[in-house]
């Protein structure tokens, strides 16, 4: 914060353009905030810290609606805490995104007719850094468009020098503690990217495949197994059955012939097999299936790899050199020729894993990889939530978290890529293995070489809450801003990124978890609740909506849909509605300024205020308390909705309108209301600022003359309540609302004036006759006044003379026709719902629809009869 931020407001400016133009305001405002250092965080400050890290977007990425949604929520939290006097750090940065970035650069090379192998590793990595400098990180500029209040001077990259040192340090520590090891296991393999990939990088979808049942063995020693991957049978090393399955007890321990090969394989008994599924017998291919690998380990079965890294068959024989899909068809044909196909089902729809980057079908593959032994780390991550050190919000998400960390398998952390953090392990000419920390000397000499693999991207991003603060150095920032106050992220990566940060944070920081609270949100979907996807044709570029309606409108729409842990539907109509809200704020503030609203001087004593003034201040304080409570509970949708209705309905549509007669009359009462209106706008704009920062900044600085609302003080509930004034204005509102409804029912135009007599004596709002007449366009009764309609409401009576405004006879005729139609609709619906034969045959949705028609008809009849009762006799 700059020194100027502490200055007292100067005299307010009272001129605003007639219309709000977001495109003219947002960019310059944001740059002014950055230049003044409002978003920076001082580790030396004595203010209490408030820290949130950005879930680091991929360096290859651009702003999508998911980013815009998540960033809006984080920005709202940090802007409010900054206004509350916290030393607030929103830590920015980007992830190097190993596979995604390597794929981007390889595609660029492909356009030049080259591959990474043509360049070699060192030159290729240099090419990636060059791409990163020229084209990477466009999302940073887009974050500025959205208004993200991040500390740009602290921006980090998971491959920068400091974070690379953190990666090497924790790898060395884990290795020395025997929590990192190298072993041959089954992993997810992408034959296109040519690397192992993590579970989160596998997308499952229902594909049309085939289920083939085939016969193994000869004569009495035959057994039928089924598979969707017939090509893997070349690597079978057993058939497994359940130990208690009487059908196969005579075969357990025997060896049977594996078709199309010269091999015999054993029949083993294993409890993993479900005797009720299929034939109750399964083929076991330990090198190409994770469950089969576990069976193989239990029974000491050999693991035969029959496919190479490109998913091409390597097994000796007629299928060698065929792609896996070509081999599948050829093997089924060969089995069919031998009479071994028992059944074939096509299409057979089943769930198949695909690489999230290139959409290639992944291949389970036995491979030598580096692993993290997660047992003790996962237990610590579970304990931190169980003992309350870390809260998960909403709480019902805890079960999913425990289901994951309590059953976590060892984590494969090596990737067969060139872009990423190299495994810091060197191999010697005589089988030596040396893990090198950042302060260790690298082994040199003939025959020494470094491991060629790089680390999973999640390994470095798992260190994000403390590596960005300078760890392993004990920096001032680390001492000040660790642990993070809250992590805001999607429930979809609860198991992957969040769990990894929990494990690494507790391990590296002596049992201190990386954050106090994990606040989980849902996914953004279209207005019909459908997942957004380019293939569905419903994907939206948030920049388009920001260009069209302004960043505030997009932010407010997203926040208003953000219920904790629940998916968020969004449609363009809703963004347009939020733009209208921004315009409403603008126009109402402009009106207030033109009528002398001010923040100068203290608020008048309540005794000097009108009931209208006391009512709005009472409501204002209630809303301050409500919004504060909802922020602490991460209820963004509810707090946004509360602010919307308070600002639009109560401040703009009621208080401003009720104050017009006071302003017109002038005098002391008008001066009091001008100060009250200024106070209400000051506080309301501050409450709205975290979600809609741009329009509120412009209006607040104009209203108050203050330097910036970004560093203004967050409003506090003063405790002022006036229930009597609230009841008085609620009664007044009831009168106005009821008369407006009657006018609309009679077809009167909003501006059409009607003679009226108001009998307000004895009501708590007798002093508001001038305001009521102005709001309802009611002119005084003349000598020829004739009360043709009388409305009793809230203890008052409003008599209207409609003789010169509507044709009563024609209106009665029209309403009678509508009433007859509604009664006929009710009779028809009742007849169908009373017909037992119809109810027995009709689908539930049809019956529900008819019940809805009946309810609607009842509502229409009640409404029309009330309108007829209120009309004078013709």
């Amino acid at each position: 914060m700059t020194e100027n931020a502490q200055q007292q407001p100067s005299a307010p400016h009272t001129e605003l353009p007639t219309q709000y133009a977001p495109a003219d305001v947002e960019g310059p405002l944001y740059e002014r905030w950055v230049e003044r250092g409002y978003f920076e965080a001082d580790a030396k400050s004595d203010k209490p810290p408030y820290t949130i890290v950005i879930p680091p977007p991929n360096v290859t990425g651009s702003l999508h609606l998911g980013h815009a949604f998540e960033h809006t929520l984080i920005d709202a939290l940090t802007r409010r805490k900054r206004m509350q006097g916290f030393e607030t750090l929103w830590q920015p940065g980007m992830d190097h995104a190993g596979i995604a970035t390597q794929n981007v650069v390889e595609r660029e090379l492909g356009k030049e007719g080259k591959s990474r192998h043509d360049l070699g590793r060192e030159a290729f990595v240099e090419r990636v850094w060059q791409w990163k400098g020229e084209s990477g990180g466009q999302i940073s500029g887009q974050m500025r468009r959205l208004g993200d209040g991040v500390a740009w001077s602290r921006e980090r990259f998971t491959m920068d020098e400091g974070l690379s040192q953190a990666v090497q340090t924790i790898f060395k520590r884990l290795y020395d503690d025997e929590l990192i090891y190298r072993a041959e296991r089954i992993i997810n393999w992408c034959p296109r990217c040519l690397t192992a990939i993590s579970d989160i990088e596998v997308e499952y979808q229902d594909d049309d495949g085939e289920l083939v049942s085939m016969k193994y063995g000869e004569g009495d020693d035959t057994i039928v197994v089924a598979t969707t991957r017939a090509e893997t049978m070349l690597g079978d090393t057993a058939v497994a059955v359940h130990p208690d399955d009487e059908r196969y007890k005579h075969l357990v321990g025997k060896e049977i012939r594996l078709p199309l090969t010269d091999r015999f394989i054993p029949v083993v008994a294993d409890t993993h097999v479900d005797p009720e599924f299929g034939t109750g017998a399964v083929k076991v291919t330990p090198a190409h299936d994770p469950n089969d690998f576990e069976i193989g380990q239990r029974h000491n079965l050999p693991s035969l790899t029959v496919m190479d890294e490109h998913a091409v068959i390597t097994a000796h024989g007629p299928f060698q050199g065929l792609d896996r899909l070509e081999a599948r068809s050829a093997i089924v044909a060969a089995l069919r020729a031998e009479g071994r196909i028992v059944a074939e089902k096509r299409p057979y729809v089943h769930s198949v894993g695909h690489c999230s980057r290139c959409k290639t079908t992944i291949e389970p593959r036995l491979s030598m990889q580096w692993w993290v032994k997660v047992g003790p780390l996962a237990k610590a991550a579970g304990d931190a939530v169980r003992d309350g050190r870390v809260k998960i919000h909403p709480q019902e998400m805890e079960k999913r978290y425990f289901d994951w960390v309590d059953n976590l398998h060892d984590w494969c952390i090596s990737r067969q890529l060139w872009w990423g953090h190299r495994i810091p392990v060197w191999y010697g000419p005589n089988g030596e293995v040396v893990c090198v920390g950042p302060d260790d000397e690298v082994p040199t000499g003939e025959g020494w070489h470094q491991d060629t693999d790089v680390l999973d991207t999640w390994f470095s991003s798992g260190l994000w809450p403390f590596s960005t603060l300078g760890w392993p150095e004990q920096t001032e920032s680390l001492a000040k801003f660790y642990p993070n106050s809250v992590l805001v992220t999607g429930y979809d990566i609860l198991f992957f990124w969040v769990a990894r940060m929990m494990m690494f944070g507790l391990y590296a920081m002596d049992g201190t978890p990386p954050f106090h609270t994990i606040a989980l949100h849902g996914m953004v979907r279209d207005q019909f609740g459908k997942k957004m996807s380019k293939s569905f044709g419903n994907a939206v570029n948030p920049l388009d909506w920001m260009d069209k309606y302004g960043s505030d409108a997009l932010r407010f729409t997203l926040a208003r849909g953000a219920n904790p842990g629940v998916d968020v539907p969004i449609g363009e109509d809703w963004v347009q509605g939020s733009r209208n809200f921004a315009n409403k704020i603008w126009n109402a503030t402009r009106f207030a300024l033109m009528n002398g609203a001010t923040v100068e001087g203290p608020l008048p004593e309540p005794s000097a205020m009108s009931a209208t003034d006391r009512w709005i201040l009472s409501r204002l304080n209630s809303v301050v308390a409500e919004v504060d409570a909802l922020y602490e509970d991460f209820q963004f949708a509810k707090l946004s909705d509360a602010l919307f209705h308070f600002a639009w309905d109560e401040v703009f549509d009621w208080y401003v309108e009720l104050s017009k007669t006071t302003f017109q009359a002038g005098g002391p009462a008008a001066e009091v209301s001008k100060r009250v209106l200024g106070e209400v706008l000051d506080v309301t704009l501050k409450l709205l600022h975290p979600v809609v920062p741009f329009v509120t900044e412009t209006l607040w600085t104009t209203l108050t003359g203050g330097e910036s609302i970004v560093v203004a003080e967050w409003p506090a509930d003063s405790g002022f309540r006036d229930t009597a004034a609230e009841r008085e204005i609620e009664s007044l509102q009831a009168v106005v609302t009821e008369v407006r409804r009657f006018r609309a029912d009679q077809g009167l135009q909003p501006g059409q004036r009607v003679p009226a007599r108001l009998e307000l004596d004895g009501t708590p709002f007798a002093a508001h006759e001038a305001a009521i007449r102005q709001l309802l366009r009611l002119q005084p009764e003349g000598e020829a006044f004739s009360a043709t309609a009388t409305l009793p409401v809230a203890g008052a009576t409003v008599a209207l003379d409609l003789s010169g405004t509507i044709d009563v006879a024609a209106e009665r005729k029209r309403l009678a026709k509508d009433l007859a139609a509604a009664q006929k609709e009710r009779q028809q619906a009742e007849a169908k719902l009373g017909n037992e034969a119809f109810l027995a045959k009709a689908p539930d949705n049809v019956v529900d629809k008819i019940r809805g028609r009946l309810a609607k008809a009842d509502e229409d009849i009640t409404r029309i009869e009330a309108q007829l009762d209120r009309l004078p006799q013709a």
Side-chain angles (χ1 to χ4, degrees), residues 230-514:
E231 68 279 9
T232 63
M233 62 86 60
L234 299 175
D236 286 357
T237 57
V239 171
V241 297
H242 195 276
D244 299 331
D245 196 328
E246 295 292 336
R247 294 172 294 177
Y248 302 118
K249 281 201 170 181
H250 69 288
L251 288 175
V252 174
K254 287 188 176 183
E255 289 194 337
I256 60 175
R257 182 174 178 271
L258 180 66
L260 307 182
T261 73
D262 296 326
R263 292 191 291 115
F264 281 80
I265 59 175
V267 177
V268 299
D270 196 282
T271 54
H272 170 76
V273 180
D274 181 1
E276 303 298 324
F277 183 75
T279 64
V282 297
K283 58 190 287 298
V284 182
T285 321
H288 293 279
D289 183 273
N291 293 321
D292 293 2
F293 178 80
E294 298 296 332
I295 294 175
Q297 293 289 295
R298 288 192 289 272
H299 297 277
N300 296 314
L301 300 174
S303 297
L304 300 181
T305 299
V306 296
M307 272 182 272
D308 67 10
E309 61 186 8
H310 298 279
V312 171
I313 301 298
T314 58
H316 183 71
F319 311 107
Q320 188 174 14
L322 294 180
D323 172 82
R324 55 182 165 170
L325 299 182
E326 296 172 334
R328 183 176 300 173
S329 299
I331 287 170
V332 171
L335 290 168
R336 192 183 299 113
E338 287 191 5
R340 291 187 174 275
I341 298 298
V342 175
E344 298 178 69
K345 184 175 181 180
R346 294 187 186 87
Y348 178 72
V349 179
H350 62 134
S351 181
V352 178
H354 296 260
C355 174
S356 63
R357 303 299 178 189
C358 67
K359 311 308 177 187
T360 302
T361 301
I362 63 108
E363 192 66 44
R365 185 169 188 260
L366 186 63
S367 179
M368 182 67 75
Q369 302 284 345
W370 286 93
W371 303 82
V372 172
K373 186 186 296 183
V374 299
L377 302 175
K379 181 182 183 303
D383 290 346
V385 175
R386 285 189 170 95
D387 64 25
R389 281 176 289 158
V390 177
K391 305 288 186 185
I392 293 180
H393 192 279
Q395 190 174 359
E396 55 265 28
M397 288 285 182
E398 282 187 4
K399 183 180 184 302
R400 296 179 64 181
Y401 176 79
F402 292 136
D403 286 345
W404 179 258
V405 297
D406 293 347
N407 299 283
L408 201 56
H409 297 294
D410 285 0
W411 171 22
C412 176
I413 56 172
S414 47
R415 299 291 179 267
Q416 290 64 55
L417 302 170
W418 287 357
W419 172 245
H421 296 102
R422 285 283 290 273
I423 302 281
V425 171
W426 269 255
Y427 306 104
N430 299 312
E432 302 96 331
V433 179
V434 177
C435 181
V436 177
D439 299 324
D440 299 334
E441 289 191 12
V442 174
T444 57
E446 187 176 351
W448 283 92
H449 65 280
Q450 186 178 0
D451 195 298
T452 57
D453 287 353
V454 301
L455 287 163
D456 178 11
T457 296
W458 296 101
F459 191 94
S460 53
S461 62
L463 314 180
W464 194 246
F466 52 94
S467 64
T468 52
L469 297 173
W471 187 92
E473 301 299 324
Q474 298 304 305
T475 64
E476 287 183 321
S477 290
L478 188 65
K480 178 74 174 179
F481 296 112
Y482 187 92
N484 291 188
S485 306
V486 62
L487 173 75
V488 179
T489 192
Y491 63 70
D492 58 325
I493 55 174
L494 171 64
F495 313 134
F496 305 102
W497 187 46
V498 178
R500 307 240 188 287
M501 287 189 291
M502 285 285 284
M503 291 191 296
F504 281 165
L506 288 159
Y507 174 79
M509 299 299 293
D510 300 321
T512 302

Side-chain angles (χ1 to χ4, degrees), residues 153-288:
S153 69
R154 292 173 172 266
E155 187 175 14
R156 303 304 297 269
F157 180 55
T158 51
M159 287 279 287
D160 68 28
E161 184 177 352
L163 269 65
S164 295
Q165 182 184 21
V167 167
Q168 195 173 355
T169 299
I170 202 163
F171 187 100
K172 171 71 171 172
R173 291 186 186 180
L174 289 164
Y175 182 87
D176 289 346
D177 288 343
E178 298 183 347
L179 293 173
I180 283 183
Y181 63 95
R182 194 168 184 243
E184 197 173 39
R185 298 277 184 85
I186 291 285
I187 44 85
N188 301 311
W189 181 265
C190 176
R192 156 62 183 78
C193 298
L194 299 180
T195 181
I197 60 175
S198 67
D199 291 336
I200 198 172
E201 293 163 327
V202 178
E203 293 179 348
Y204 288 90
Q205 65 185 49
D206 288 341
D207 286 356
D208 287 344
E210 60 183 9
L211 181 66
V212 179
S213 299
M214 47 197 182
K215 183 168 59 177
Y216 286 12
E218 309 292 347
D220 292 338
D221 293 346
T222 60
I223 193 165
V224 175
V225 298
T227 182
T228 58
R229 301 163 66 218
E231 68 279 9
T232 63
M233 62 86 60
L234 299 175
D236 286 357
T237 57
V239 171
V241 297
H242 195 276
D244 299 331
D245 196 328
E246 295 292 336
R247 294 172 294 177
Y248 302 118
K249 281 201 170 181
H250 69 288
L251 288 175
V252 174
K254 287 188 176 183
E255 289 194 337
I256 60 175
R257 182 174 178 271
L258 180 66
L260 307 182
T261 73
D262 296 326
R263 292 191 291 115
F264 281 80
I265 59 175
V267 177
V268 299
D270 196 282
T271 54
H272 170 76
V273 180
D274 181 1
E276 303 298 324
F277 183 75
T279 64
V282 297
K283 58 190 287 298
V284 182
T285 321
H288 293 279

Side-chain angles (χ1 to χ4, degrees), residues 774-822:
Q774 180 162 312
L775 288 170
L776 292 172
R777 304 295 189 268
L778 302 179
Q779 63 190 42
E781 54 186 299
E783 293 182 5
F785 178 82
S786 174
T788 57
T790 303
L791 305 176
V793 57
T797 300
V798 179
L800 303 173
D801 183 354
L802 304 178
S803 57
T805 56
I806 61 172
D807 185 333
V808 175
E811 186 65 13
R812 279 191 168 278
K813 185 176 180 181
R814 181 184 70 80
L815 290 172
K817 183 178 178 181
D818 291 346
L819 180 61

Side-chain angles (χ1 to χ4, degrees), residues 42-98:
D42 182 2
K44 299 180 184 297
S45 167
D46 57 2
K47 296 179 182 178
Y50 186 81
T51 316
I52 295 181
V53 293
I54 193 172
N58 288 353
V59 68
T60 58
S62 60
L63 190 75
H64 57 63
L65 271 178
H67 289 131
F69 172 56
E70 187 168 78
H71 290 199
T72 293
L73 304 188
I74 298 174
D75 197 40
L77 290 173
T78 52
R79 283 179 181 271
R80 171 174 173 263
K81 285 296 183 181
R82 189 178 293 112
M83 295 172 75
Q84 287 183 316
F86 285 77
E87 192 63 35
T88 303
L89 170 59
W90 181 9
Q91 173 66 53
M94 286 184 291
D95 192 284
H96 66 277

Side-chain angles (χ1 to χ4, degrees), residues 20 25 29 33 79 83 552 581-582 585-586 589 681-704 708-710:
Y20 177 49
V25 169
L29 265 188
W33 292 334
R79 283 179 181 271
M83 295 172 75
D552 284 333
F581 179 51
I585 301 169
W586 182 272
T589 305
L681 288 175
D682 176 20
V683 173
T684 302
L685 291 171
K686 287 176 181 176
L687 293 175
L688 284 166
H689 173 72
V691 180
V692 284
F694 294 107
V695 67
T696 52
E697 168 80 332
T698 305
L699 295 174
W700 186 85
T701 52
T702 304
L703 172 70
T704 68
S708 174
I709 197 172
V710 176

